[in-house]
């Protein structure tokens, strides 16, 4: 989705200053009913997490659509090769459309995704991709990142590599630069703090190592300004602050299709059993997971009482912003930066998490309503109850 001012208004939204955050926010230009899709947007950039890829989670290298069938997905995550899923018509994975890059063996879900990737960044990264020469700077860059950023993952250095490769390939670089710079503005101290959060306590030396490897892999005249110490820190801060998590799963699509069509109520117990076995074998890491940068959705501010939710209805990197409450014209659109578990915790716990991970003090309507709550985490409260 293009992000010109006219296009945004035509889609029922606009980006303008937010009175709550003193920064920018996303506002409605017309009313929406609960359940309405406010916008659908494809990212500027997206990329699967490095460890997620290394552990065999199979996704299109461009759009992150699952490449496994639902049955293959279940068998891998349960370590049970005997599971047979009924209703194969509910499986959306079409292996006949998959295509492999002949030069580096990267796999895409379709020729369209292959062409999009080639024209955006893959022409530069091809033959330097993961699994190739272990001594190539790009491979060293990815391995260095993995040693600094263990699961659960929140970002990937390969997203930054795609940004740099795109700058090398793009003709209209100023337009792309304006899009990136519009995502957020940080002070030097904020950028240091964000880099610290991503990389750990020894981030200064780690950041310089990543920058050096990035220069060796993707240093070109077109990328010079992003590979200075300040420019590189800014890019790390940008992907750290603005990265939107993506999760796709062939099995979850199959489950949704079975449920939507009421095909076979007897499968409910099978689904429950499979999820239990997957959790036992694979823990919480059930999806193809990655990160993306969105020009419009990234303008949404956080609220602990959101009026909208982000979802990925097409099982790829396209995000849909859906109203979870009725919205009036001129109302600010809020999403939650917290998952359901953290969102259910105490005010102090929520604000502590947001401060540590997003560098702001939440003063949303819910936090103001709960202002008289004691300053203790939910874990503290549970400990007091147990005593």
């Amino acid at each position: 989705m293009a992000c010109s001012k006219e296009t945004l208004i035509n889609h029922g939204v606009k980006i303008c200053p937010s009175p709550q955050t003193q920064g920018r926010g996303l506002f409605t230009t017309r009313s929406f009913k609960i359940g309405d899709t406010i916008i659908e947007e494809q990212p500027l950039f997206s990329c699967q997490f490095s460890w997620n890829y290394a552990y065999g989670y199979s996704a299109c290298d461009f759009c992150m659509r699952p490449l496994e069938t639902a049955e293959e997905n279940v068998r891998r995550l349960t370590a049970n090769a005997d599971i047979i899923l009924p209703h194969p018509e509910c499986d959306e994975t079409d292996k006949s459309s998959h295509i492999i890059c002949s030069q580096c063996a990267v796999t895409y879900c379709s020729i369209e995704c292959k062409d999009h990737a080639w024209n955006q960044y893959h022409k530069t990264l091809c033959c330097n991709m993961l699994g190739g020469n272990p001594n190539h700077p790009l491979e060293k860059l990815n391995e260095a990142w993995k040693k600094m950023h263990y699961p659960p993952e929140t970002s990937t250095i390969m997203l930054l590599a795609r940004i740099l490769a795109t700058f090398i390939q793009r003709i209209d670089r100023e337009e792309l630069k304006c899009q990136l710079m519009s995502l957020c503005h940080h002070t030097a101290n904020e950028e240091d703090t964000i880099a610290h959060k991503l990389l750990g306590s020894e981030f200064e030396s780690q950041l310089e190592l990543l920058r050096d490897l990035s220069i060796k892999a993707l240093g070109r005249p077109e990328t010079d300004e992003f590979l200075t110490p300040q420019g590189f820190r800014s890019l790390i801060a940008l992907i750290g602050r603005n990265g939107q998590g993506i999760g796709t799963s062939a099995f979850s699509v199959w489950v949704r299709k079975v449920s939507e069509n009421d095909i076979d109520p007897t499968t409910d117990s099978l689904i429950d059993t499979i999820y239990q076995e997957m959790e036992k074998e694979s823990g919480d890491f059930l999806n193809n997971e990655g990160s993306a940068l969105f020009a419009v959705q990234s303008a949404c501010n956080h609220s602990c009482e959101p009026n909208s939710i982000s979802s990925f209805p097409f099982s790829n990197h396209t995000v849909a912003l859906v109203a979870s409450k009725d919205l009036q014209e001129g109302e600010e659109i809020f999403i939650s930066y917290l998952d359901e578990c953290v969102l259910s915790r105490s005010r102090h716990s929520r604000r502590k998490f947001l401060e540590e991970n997003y560098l702001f003090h939440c003063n949303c309507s819910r936090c103001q309503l709960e202002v008289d709550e004691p300053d203790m985490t939910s874990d503290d409260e549970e400990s007091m109850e147990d005593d």
Side-chain angles (χ1 to χ4, degrees):
M1 172 178 162
C3 55
S4 69
K5 184 176 181 181
E6 293 78 10
T7 300
L8 290 181
I9 292 175
N10 288 339
H11 280 81
V13 296
K14 64 179 179 180
I15 297 173
C16 56
S18 168
Q20 174 170 308
T21 66
Q22 307 304 312
R24 65 177 192 159
L26 190 65
F27 292 79
T28 62
T29 58
R30 63 177 179 86
S31 62
F32 291 91
K33 294 293 186 182
I34 184 171
D36 285 351
T37 297
I38 302 170
I39 58 167
E40 290 176 0
E41 182 185 11
Q42 293 191 353
L44 298 172
F45 304 94
S46 67
C47 189
Q48 188 176 2
F49 287 144
S50 297
W51 278 109
N52 193 264
Y53 177 92
Y55 283 135
Y57 290 81
S58 185
C60 174
D61 197 63
F62 179 74
C63 77
M64 284 194 61
R65 186 182 299 279
L67 298 176
E68 296 175 305
T69 65
E71 192 169 85
E72 289 172 336
N73 187 216
V74 166
R75 289 177 174 182
R76 179 172 59 83
L77 293 174
T78 61
N80 183 350
D82 296 326
I83 291 178
I84 297 176
L85 288 183
H87 311 296
E89 70 277 10
C90 293
D91 191 339
E92 288 191 349
T93 303
D94 179 11
K95 289 200 165 190
S96 67
S97 69
H98 295 178
I99 187 165
I100 299 174
C101 176
S102 60
Q103 298 183 63
C104 66
V106 164
T107 306
Y108 300 95
C109 69
S110 66
I111 186 65
E112 291 80 12
C113 278
K114 179 178 180 292
D115 289 345
H116 283 310
W118 181 264
N119 293 329
Q120 182 177 337
Y121 58 81
H122 191 63
K123 183 178 180 180
T124 299
L125 299 181
C126 189
C127 296
N128 298 333
M129 297 298 290
L130 310 186
N133 179 2
N135 293 317
H136 192 280
L138 197 65
E139 180 68 21
K140 289 185 175 181
L141 174 65
N142 188 58
E143 289 302 312
W145 173 266
K146 286 163 62 180
K147 291 177 182 177
M148 302 171 190
H149 199 80
Y150 290 98
E153 298 174 90
T154 58
S155 190
T156 172
I157 197 66
M158 300 313 293
L159 185 63
L160 184 145
R162 291 188 179 186
I163 293 173
L164 295 176
T166 300
F167 266 96
I168 292 170
Q169 294 188 204
R170 280 280 286 261
I171 296 175
D172 54 339
R173 297 186 186 97
E174 283 304 312
E175 178 185 350
L176 179 58
K177 182 178 177 181
C178 288
Q179 288 178 316
L180 287 175
M181 293 303 102
S182 71
L183 293 180
C184 64
H185 300 280
H186 306 295
T187 66
N189 287 340
E190 285 178 323
E191 289 169 352
D192 283 343
T193 305
I194 294 169
H196 186 181
K197 284 296 178 186
L198 283 177
L199 303 177
S201 58
E202 298 177 353
F203 75 99
E204 284 289 358
S205 60
Q206 293 174 335
L207 199 63
E208 188 57 30
L209 171 62
L210 293 175
R211 188 175 77 89
D212 179 63
L213 291 171
S214 297
I215 291 172
K216 291 176 179 176
L218 294 163
R220 307 282 197 285
E222 299 88 347
T223 59
D224 281 349
E225 66 179 299
F226 299 104
L227 293 173
T228 64
Q230 177 64 42
F232 191 73
R233 189 168 65 242
S234 296
L235 273 187
I236 289 286
L238 184 141
I239 66 173
R241 171 68 71 83
N242 292 276
Q244 163 75 53
I246 302 172
T248 66
S249 163
F251 179 59
S252 67
V253 172
W254 180 88
V255 170
R256 187 178 75 242
K257 289 290 184 181
V258 170
S259 301
E260 286 176 351
N261 295 293
D262 293 325
I263 292 174
D264 184 359
T266 64
T267 60
D268 288 347
S269 60
L270 172 63
I271 292 169
D272 290 342
T273 299
I274 288 174
Y275 272 123
Q276 290 171 8
E277 291 186 19
M278 288 197 301
E279 185 176 1
K280 183 178 179 180
E281 177 66 26
S282 303
D284 294 329
F285 304 105
L286 303 182
N287 299 336
N288 305 312
E289 294 183 342
S291 183
L293 299 178
F294 293 93
V296 179
Q297 193 265 0
S298 65
C300 287
N301 286 311
H302 164 83
S303 173
C304 297
E305 196 172 32
N307 54 26
S308 303
I309 57 173
S310 297
S311 64
F312 295 88
F314 308 110
S315 198
N316 61 12
H317 64 191
T318 300
V319 68
L321 194 61
V322 179
S324 56
K325 300 178 181 178
D326 289 344
L327 298 174
Q328 304 303 313
E329 180 181 347
E331 190 170 349
E332 182 167 4
I333 300 167
F334 292 104
I335 60 174
S336 173
Y337 296 176
L338 308 174
D339 61 29
E340 288 298 322
C341 181
V342 180
L343 195 60
S344 67
R345 295 167 72 85
S346 70
R347 174 181 183 268
H348 185 68
S349 292
R350 299 193 311 270
R351 298 185 91 216
K352 184 173 184 289
F353 184 94
L354 290 165
E355 182 180 354
E356 290 178 351
N357 291 275
Y358 294 95
L359 309 182
F360 71 88
H361 298 284
C362 185
N363 290 306
C364 70
S365 56
R366 181 181 170 192
C367 284
Q368 292 182 40
L369 187 65
E370 298 171 358
V371 69
D372 293 330
E373 285 189 357
D375 285 342
M376 60 177 64
T377 67
S378 299
D379 291 334
D380 293 334
E381 293 168 354
E382 290 172 4
S383 296
M384 291 179 65
E385 292 173 359
D386 292 338
D387 291 342

